């Protein structure tokens, strides 16, 4: 990916990352599932056990842990953080509690939808209709 910056992540519908309006190649279904799991709680750790469950790894052990590390490594490369370039966009890091996705400047559709749902009503029908239309637009293919 190099110097391009991911501006947007989409989880509602197919899992995608967008840079300059173009979809970033993320790899196969397991890569996309891993990214989705991390995007649901951006900035907060997701444990290896949670990721194994989400990815359907079955019996968890050293082989599953190795496979998870490989998936994370491939995801880092897809997001542009594993190609030797300085990280200016999203980054996946490990801390003592699990893997953490720092989305950088990228917007995340599921976070935007959550924010819309949690915003108090203001009584202006036009504003509320616009908010409902935005929420509906975020839910592509759902």
């Amino acid at each position: 990916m190099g110097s391009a910056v991911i501006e947007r992540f989409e989880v509602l519908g197919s899992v995608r990352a967008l840079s300059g309006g173009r979809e970033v190649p993320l790899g196969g279904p397991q890569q996309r599932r891993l990214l989705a799991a991390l995007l649901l709680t951006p900035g907060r750790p997701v444990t290896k056990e949670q990721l194994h469950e989400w990815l359907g790894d079955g019996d968890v052990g050293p082989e599953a842990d190795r496979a998870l590390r490989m998936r994370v490594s491939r995801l880092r490369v897809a997001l542009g953080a594993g190609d030797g370039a300085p990280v200016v966009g999203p980054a996946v890091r490990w801390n003592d509690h699990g893997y953490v996705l720092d989305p950088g400047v990228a917007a995340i559709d599921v976070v935007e939808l959550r924010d819309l749902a949690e915003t108090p009503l203001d009584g202006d029908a036009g504003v509320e209709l616009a908010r409902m239309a935005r929420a509906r637009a975020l839910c592509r293919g759902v």
Side-chain angles (χ1 to χ4, degrees), residues 12-100:
L12 301 168
S14 59
V15 178
R16 305 184 324 159
L18 302 171
S19 177
R22 301 179 81 126
E23 190 168 344
V24 174
L26 295 172
Q30 291 292 70
Q31 291 296 111
R32 291 173 187 275
R33 286 172 114 176
L34 172 60
L35 179 58
L38 295 169
L39 286 169
L40 292 176
T41 57
R44 296 195 328 244
V46 182
T47 67
K48 287 190 305 182
E49 294 76 19
Q50 289 169 314
L51 291 172
H52 286 310
E53 183 178 333
W54 182 269
L55 296 170
D57 284 339
D59 292 334
V60 178
E63 287 296 318
D65 285 349
R66 259 192 301 283
L68 178 59
R69 283 193 304 273
M70 289 294 291
R71 289 181 191 129
V72 169
S73 178
R74 286 192 296 263
L75 182 59
R76 285 175 173 146
V77 170
L79 297 178
D83 61 3
V87 178
V88 293
V92 179
R93 295 182 176 86
W94 171 260
N95 71 20
D96 291 337
H97 305 288
Y99 286 101
V100 179

Side-chain angles (χ1 to χ4, degrees), residues 20 29 63 82 110 138:
E63 287 296 318
V110 72
L138 289 169

Side-chain angles (χ1 to χ4, degrees), residues 84-141:
V87 178
V88 293
V92 179
R93 295 182 176 86
W94 171 260
N95 71 20
D96 291 337
H97 305 288
Y99 286 101
V100 179
L101 175 82
D102 173 359
V105 298
I108 304 170
D109 63 355
V110 72
V111 171
E112 188 177 346
L113 183 64
R114 198 176 299 148
D115 290 346
L116 285 169
E118 292 173 355
T119 302
L121 299 175
D122 75 353
D124 182 326
V127 170
E128 298 309 324
L129 285 172
R131 184 170 29 184
M132 287 176 19
R134 178 63 189 145
R136 183 174 166 199
L138 289 169
C139 300
R140 327 163 275 108

